Amino acid sequence: MLVIMKNDATKAQVEAVIAEIERLGYRGLPIPGAQRTAVCIVGNEHEVDDSRILPLDGVKETIRVTRPYKLVSRETRPQPTVITVGEVTIGGGRPVVMAGPCAVESEEQTLAIARIVKELGAQVFRAGAFKPRSSPYTFQGLGEAGLKILAKVRRETGLPVVTEATDPLNIEMVEQYADIIQIGARNMQNYSLLRRAGRCRKPVLLKRGMAATIEELLMSAEYIASEGNPSVILCERGIRTFSDNTRNTLDLSAIPSIKEVSHLPVIVDPSHAAGRREYVIALSRGAIAVGADGLLVEVHHDPAHALSDGRQSLYPEQLAELMKDVNAMTRVAGGAR
Ligand code: PEP
Ligand code: MN
């Protein structure tokens, strides 16, 4: 349930509403907005009886939130969430391109690719230092040494960096170095990791699990938001289907579906969806056309020797083409959608 406060409600009146919600045995989370302040009631298993809330000073009305996810639902917050990372804004406007190699392999490799990414106009650098690999015998990432390289990338290029935390044990370290904390597809339902990410002060990029429904993705985002972190960027990265032509099947319908029910920004990772670089530009165009707030793409200056995901990593000249397409499509759409 959502308690809508009157426009002139005072801070003390909002606090009194939260205290009453707590007396009823639930939690009350304030949702400040440009138009109105609301308090979202969470923790109730059944419908909340609002007879003790409606008479409180400053309360305008109560609204039932019908979805199982509350804080990330459009019923709770009709306007899109816009997340700011340095000078980059994600959501509600120009699509953002996050690009870089699958993994930090060495300082030389990472800096070389970061310079290309910067020069071609992508706004965020991506690379994993902790790699959740399907095989325990493949490259698992450089760990903290990799994070230090990413800090150097930020110093040298000014690009904010997004990098993955794979475990509640390494998220604190990742938070110190990253501008955006990535939670990968394999961890979308790692609830202790999600809760811990909810206590971070940095935005979280949450990828859709390879067999997860939209509702499950949004429930995972709710875990993060319910711990106090409202800055969640959702990422469609392809799901498992019977089709084995591509690594995964990019579910483009996820973007309008999510936008219908949630205010969170949604970006698309065409690289892990396709598994092959030949399809990445076409899928990127599709993603922007259906309203994605951005792209997360893998690029490598020497993909033949990449330690992971070389087959799906764009050559730099392909990233240049992708940037041109995204910019042209944004111009056609008038810069904001
Ligand atoms: C990645 O972004 O490098 C990654 C491992 O992606 P996913 O979690 O989508 O497989
Ligand atoms: Mn990868």
Side-chain angles (χ1 to χ4, degrees):
M1 179 175 283
L2 203 60
V3 183
I4 310 293
M5 303 299 296
K6 290 181 183 154
N7 282 349
D8 60 355
T10 63
K11 206 167 158 240
Q13 288 170 341
V14 175
E15 279 163 11
V17 167
I18 294 172
E20 188 58 35
I21 292 167
E22 282 170 7
R23 271 193 291 279
L24 290 167
Y26 314 124
R27 280 170 68 208
L29 301 168
I31 321 267
Q35 317 296 336
R36 63 173 196 198
T37 291
V39 180
C40 186
I41 302 179
V42 293
N44 54 302
E45 279 177 21
H46 304 288
E47 215 173 300
V48 176
D49 172 7
D50 60 6
S51 59
R52 277 165 55 185
I53 296 167
L54 274 175
L56 295 176
D57 289 341
V59 173
K60 184 172 168 223
E61 59 182 334
T62 58
I63 298 176
R64 268 192 65 207
V65 180
T66 55
R67 311 268 177 192
Y69 41 84
K70 309 290 176 194
L71 298 170
V72 306
S73 149
R74 255 199 209 276
E75 291 174 293
T76 300
R77 187 187 151 90
Q79 69 273 37
T81 283
V82 177
I83 295 172
T84 309
V85 182
E87 290 168 8
V88 181
T89 31
I90 304 155
R94 239 186 128 221
V96 56
V97 178
M98 309 184 183
C102 180
V104 178
E105 299 169 11
S106 68
E107 183 171 319
E108 199 189 8
Q109 166 257 12
T110 309
L111 279 171
I113 300 170
R115 287 180 196 123
I116 294 166
V117 164
K118 167 85 179 176
E119 195 189 309
L120 294 178
Q123 297 94 333
V124 178
F125 185 71
R126 67 138 291 149
F130 292 96
K131 293 305 303 175
R133 304 301 303 283
S134 301
S135 163
Y137 306 119
T138 52
F139 177 60
Q140 304 284 308
L142 296 181
E144 188 167 15
L147 295 175
K148 289 190 170 145
I149 295 171
L150 290 175
K152 203 160 181 180
V153 163
R154 183 180 33 237
R155 274 201 304 279
E156 200 183 288
T157 63
L159 292 173
V161 299
V162 55
T163 193
E164 183 164 352
T166 51
D167 196 300
L169 294 174
N170 60 33
I171 191 166
E172 191 176 342
M173 186 194 288
V174 169
E175 189 185 9
Q176 282 169 30
Y177 293 94
D179 297 289
I180 303 172
I181 301 163
Q182 179 171 323
I183 294 189
R186 290 158 190 79
N187 271 315
M188 190 206 83
Q189 287 178 313
N190 180 340
Y191 298 116
S192 50
L193 182 61
L194 296 174
R195 279 195 194 282
R196 181 62 189 78
R199 294 195 291 275
C200 288
R201 297 289 167 91
K202 303 263 171 88
V204 176
L205 193 166
L206 177 64
K207 296 185 102 177
R208 180 180 181 184
M210 51 195 85
T213 63
I214 304 288
E215 184 165 305
E216 286 163 344
L217 172 63
L218 290 168
M219 291 307 286
S220 291
E222 186 81 9
Y223 264 90
I224 300 169
S226 72
E227 290 291 325
N229 189 347
S231 302
V232 182
I233 304 155
L234 303 171
C235 180
E236 161 62 38
R237 46 76 74 201
I239 49 172
R240 275 280 160 87
T241 67
F242 61 84
S243 176
D244 59 0
N245 180 52
T246 47
R247 184 174 175 182
N248 292 286
T249 300
L250 184 62
D251 180 10
L252 280 181
S253 64
I255 292 89
S257 306
I258 293 170
K259 286 190 169 283
E260 186 186 354
V261 296
S262 174
H263 52 82
L264 294 177
V266 191
I267 67 166
V268 166
D269 172 350
S271 306
H272 289 85
R276 304 188 198 190
R277 71 176 70 82
E278 306 82 288
Y279 304 154
V280 168
I281 294 177
L283 294 179
S284 298
R285 289 194 207 114
I288 300 300
V290 298
D293 294 300
L295 300 167
L296 180 74
V297 290
E298 289 185 339
V299 56
H300 203 291
H301 66 322
D302 183 13
H305 294 102
L307 295 183
S308 60
D309 288 348
R311 186 68 190 83
Q312 67 196 32
S313 298
L314 296 178
Y315 293 113
E317 50 277 21
Q318 289 177 304
L319 179 64
E321 191 185 332
L322 184 152
M323 293 303 302
K324 235 169 57 195
D325 286 356
V326 170
N327 289 334
M329 289 178 80
T330 308
R331 267 199 307 280
V332 170
R337 290 158 306 148

